[in-house]
Amino acid sequence: MRHIIAVLLENEAGALSRVAGLFSARGYNIESLTVAPTDDPTLSRMTLVTTGSEEIVEQIKKQLNKLIDTVKLLDLSDGPHIEREMMMVKVRAERPDREELKRLTEIFRAKIIDVTETSYVVELTGASKKLDAFIDAIPEGLLIEVVRSGPTGITRGEKGLTLS
Amino acid sequence: MALTGAKPNGADKAEADAKANRELSGAEIVVQALLDEGVELVFGYPGGSVLHIYDALFKQETVRHILVRHEQGASHAADGYARATGKCGVCLVTSGPGATNAVTGIATAYMDSIPMVVLTGQVPTPVIGSDAFQEVDTVGITRPCVKHNFLVKDVRDLALTIRKAFHIATTGRPGPVVVDIPKDVTDPNIKIPYHYPREIRMRSYNPVEKGHPGQIKKAVDLMLQATRPVFYTGGGVVLGEGSAQLTELVRATGFPVTSTLMGLGAYPTTDPQFIGMLGMHGTYEANMAMHETDVLIAIGARFDDRVTGKIEHFCPHAKIIHVDVDPSSISKNVRVDVPIVGQVAGVLTEMLRLYQAQKPQPDPAPIADWWAKIADWRRLDCLQYDRTSAAIKPQFAIETLCKVTDGDLYLTSDVGQHQMFAAQFYPFDKPRRWINSGGLGTMGFGLPAAMGVQLAFPEAQVACVSGEASILMCIQELATCKQYSLPIKVILLNNGYMGMVRQWQELFYESRYSHSYVDALPDFVKLTESFGHVGMRVERPGDLEDAMREAFAMKDRFVFMDVVVDPTENVYPMIAAGKGHHEMHLSPSLTDRELA
Ligand SMILES: Cc1cc2nc3c(=O)[nH]c(=O)nc-3n(C[C@H](O)[C@H](O)[C@H](O)COP(=O)(O)OP(=O)(O)OC[C@H]3O[C@@H](n4cnc5c(N)ncnc54)[C@H](O)[C@@H]3O)c2cc1C
Ligand SMILES: Cc1ncc(C[n+]2csc(CCOP(=O)(O)OP(=O)(O)O)c2C)c(N)n1
Ligand SMILES: [Mg+2]
């Protein structure tokens, strides 16, 4: 099963490599990993997406919790939550294709954020599946480059993954 | 109030203030922090990046530095010290090759959860990352084999980091912590006020202490219903000082108890309720009991693959209770029914209280039937060996060692057949007496570990059982033993082979002994003598006891006994990799039948 796990880490040099090292050393799957400092500059928040049997995911969470730099961990998949991923797509946009690309952008509520004679850069935020669908919808041969942030997530409702 | 004799309060305070506001250099901070931690011994080896620290060590006499002959020796010696005392081992090595040499010892300590702080020198901060002379990424190299590690980039962080290192190493599930210290951080000319925090709180590190009462109750309820219970105890009982509590609980319940290699001595192995070690080279009765048990009570043991054998065959009839301080040990390899996260000693005490409060006490009849079954298995006498042999059998050598030392010994070991024979045949009745590398299985561990033990307990009898292949891996430490007059006794079970390797090749590779014959061995007697020690060689069973008595009578000498043993002897029983507990190979004298 796919799990999206949020981790608050001490914002220390090397914290990220401890997580990355853990996954490679123990042979766990890791689909994506994003990390950035939070509003509290001493903390980083990491979101990682992994897959595995329930036993393995349980071990992954225990091992992550065991890292000395881990302050708190939450498996977002355990409850209602929102996931978002950001993507930028560079597409070939010659005259004849421009209308089609603009229409697609509208349908997906994406934005064109860079325009040249021959190309667009389109920005799109949403659930990872929606980003996949957008890529699939781009006409053959027009796709130049795709950059994805990897998903991040937050629980629904008042409670959050915070220190208190 | 009479003022005579006692210092006025004001003076005490002034002294404390002066102490609190002392200005120290980074190098002095390292030494002072060790003093404040109560460290008695540091095992180390100098080099460029730690010279400031060595200079600070030179100027004081409280922390004693032991100069080893290879940094692997330093980390094993600190480890041996920690295993024997329960205190934190400390070593100090230089950057680059000093640090890499120490890695084997760090990984050894990590696998067996041994508390240790390793101080490594590093190149100065401005040149980190420039491939400077003797630069390695120590934090990177050691990351997968430490509980935690630090790179200290600012002298103002040094004291707090060292405090954290000791705190992390010694609490929760213990383990080694590396503190990497760049040379400029120890600059003798930069002094800052020194403050060593006593208490420490880390928001990201709060190991569980007390077991959950509801879970403990569930466990005791299961134990009360058990008809074929077994205690399976491990290194955690030793590490967590739970030996007395375990012994009480085992006696109160009347249940059989088996132990892993790492837990030997936590429950007295000479007690009738002890059914021997379990696992790959465990006893027939222990492994059969595991196979048939209905309630398994695992205490501070981690379901290692050398213990479980093939997981599909592991304890097929049992409900499993597991007490462990590390949540990630629980249900890692084997799914358990009643997990209890907590320190062994407290949990065992609570279990005993609940068990004894039970009215009426459980019916003893089913347990009596269970013991009858165990008695049948015991009658097989699975550890028997040929006592009439003209060659010295390694088992006989260990039995003789026991006789000569009255079972009162700190015994360290290297890795191989000799290690298994020692575990099977030397009776450990106290914890921390059996000191060996179980998880990593590091050849070369035994001799330096024995140094750590002997330095911790100068008056105690300390011996190292080894093999002729293992001993050569840290043989340089004979010089350290000379320098510090350590009266260790090495019992070399010299079979001329990497016996454990040879055994596997005999059993699983049709006796193709590929590179397991140890050719060109040194003359161990002369070798030892050249280091200034006493060497002895024994070849006949009849001479062994007297020779050992002679060796142990030399109370202030290091004695190396080269004991020539039967090169063909194998360790039995044996569960081959991928087999279950009920599929043991027994000794050929028991007709080598496979029990299915
Ligand atoms: C050649 C060779 C052969 C071997 N054959 C065997 C064999 O036949 N049988 C055998 O048993 N082993 C054997 N081993 C050793 C084996 O590899 C493992 O090292 C050993 O089985 C692990 O022991 P353990 O489960 O007690 O765990 P340890 O490594 O001692 O781990 C201790 C456990 O206790 C927990 N713990 C620590 N402190 C506390 C505390 N205060 N409170 C609660 N829990 C705590 C830890 O989290 C950990 O889970 C062999 C090794 C070698 C080299
Ligand atoms: C550093 C290291 N290298 C290799 C091994 C693999 N190994 C395990 S036992 C063994 C042979 C040990 O031989 P010896 O010390 O003579 O002991 P014996 O088995 O003969 O008693 C070897 C090579 C190991 N455990 N450690
Ligand atoms: Mg040998």
Side-chain angles (χ1 to χ4, degrees), chain B residues 415-418 441 443 467-470 473 495 497-501:
Chain B
V415 171
Q417 291 185 322
H418 59 274
M443 291 169 68
E468 73 298 326
S470 291
M473 288 211 180
N495 53 13
Y497 278 96
M498 297 174 194
M500 188 54 90
V501 175

Side-chain angles (χ1 to χ4, degrees), chain B residues 84-268:
Chain B
T85 61
K87 297 183 206 164
C88 191
V90 180
C91 50
L92 168 62
V93 299
T94 194
S95 67
T100 55
N101 272 351
V103 167
T104 298
I106 296 170
T108 303
Y110 178 68
M111 289 298 281
D112 292 341
S113 306
I114 304 304
M116 194 155 103
V117 168
V118 182
L119 306 171
T120 55
Q122 184 53 278
V123 299
T125 47
V127 298
I128 286 181
S130 69
D131 302 320
F133 177 62
Q134 296 197 325
E135 176 179 7
V136 292
D137 175 8
T138 301
V139 163
I141 287 176
T142 58
R143 184 178 303 123
C145 61
V146 293
K147 184 168 172 188
H148 197 58
N149 57 19
F150 296 95
L151 171 64
V152 186
K153 285 190 167 163
D154 187 326
V155 64
R156 284 167 299 188
D157 298 333
L158 192 51
L160 180 61
T161 306
I162 295 177
R163 180 75 265 270
K164 279 187 185 169
F166 277 92
H167 175 63
I168 294 168
T170 54
T171 52
R173 178 178 184 170
V177 178
V178 166
V179 184
D180 200 26
I181 312 175
K183 188 168 185 181
D184 53 325
V185 171
T186 59
D187 188 335
N189 298 313
I190 301 174
K191 303 220 174 197
I192 61 158
Y194 173 77
H195 168 69
Y196 200 68
R198 282 272 139 244
E199 293 293 313
I200 185 150
R201 281 185 52 87
M202 293 174 69
R203 62 181 175 184
S204 64
Y205 175 69
N206 295 294
V208 178
E209 289 279 320
K210 279 187 66 173
H212 187 278
Q215 291 295 95
I216 298 178
K217 167 125 198 352
K218 261 195 222 163
V220 172
D221 286 345
L222 261 185
M223 286 160 63
L224 288 163
Q225 290 158 22
T227 57
R228 299 185 310 279
V230 177
F231 280 101
Y232 147 49
T233 65
V237 183
V238 177
L239 296 163
E241 307 289 355
S243 175
Q245 293 82 345
L246 172 71
T247 307
E248 253 191 282
L249 181 64
V250 170
R251 298 227 165 108
T253 55
F255 295 172
V257 53
T258 176
S259 167
T260 68
L261 181 71
M262 304 315 289
L264 292 175
Y267 188 87

Side-chain angles (χ1 to χ4, degrees), chain A residues 10 14 17-18 26 40 42-43 55 58-59 62-63 66-71 163, chain B residues 110 139 143 147-149 168 173 202-205 326-332 335:
Chain A
E10 293 290 356
S17 59
R18 289 182 209 282
R26 295 193 182 263
D40 173 352
T42 67
L43 284 177
E55 283 80 22
E58 191 183 320
Q59 256 304 305
K62 285 175 171 177
Q63 292 292 344
K66 191 166 148 180
L67 292 177
I68 306 289
D69 287 333
T70 299
V71 181
L163 276 194
Chain B
Y110 178 68
V139 163
R143 184 178 303 123
K147 184 168 172 188
H148 197 58
N149 57 19
I168 294 168
R173 178 178 184 170
M202 293 174 69
R203 62 181 175 184
S204 64
Y205 175 69
D326 177 1
S328 77
S329 275
I330 294 177
S331 293
K332 179 176 63 174
R335 199 118 205 118

Side-chain angles (χ1 to χ4, degrees), chain B residues 526-538:
Chain B
K526 278 193 193 149
L527 175 77
T528 322
E529 285 171 355
S530 76
F531 279 91
H533 299 305
V534 180
M536 299 165 84
R537 186 172 164 95
V538 188

Side-chain angles (χ1 to χ4, degrees), chain B residues 218-232 253 255-258 275 289-299 303 314-322 337-338 351 355 367 370 374:
Chain B
K218 261 195 222 163
V220 172
D221 286 345
L222 261 185
M223 286 160 63
L224 288 163
Q225 290 158 22
T227 57
R228 299 185 310 279
V230 177
F231 280 101
Y232 147 49
T253 55
F255 295 172
V257 53
T258 176
I275 58 173
M290 291 294 283
H291 192 66
E292 305 223 341
T293 179
D294 67 342
V295 175
L296 182 70
I297 310 139
I299 318 270
F303 296 78
F314 180 75
C315 296
H317 316 290
K319 286 253 188 278
I320 304 178
I321 299 162
H322 187 189
D337 301 281
V338 185
M351 279 182 163
Y355 194 89
I367 306 294
W370 179 223
I374 292 170

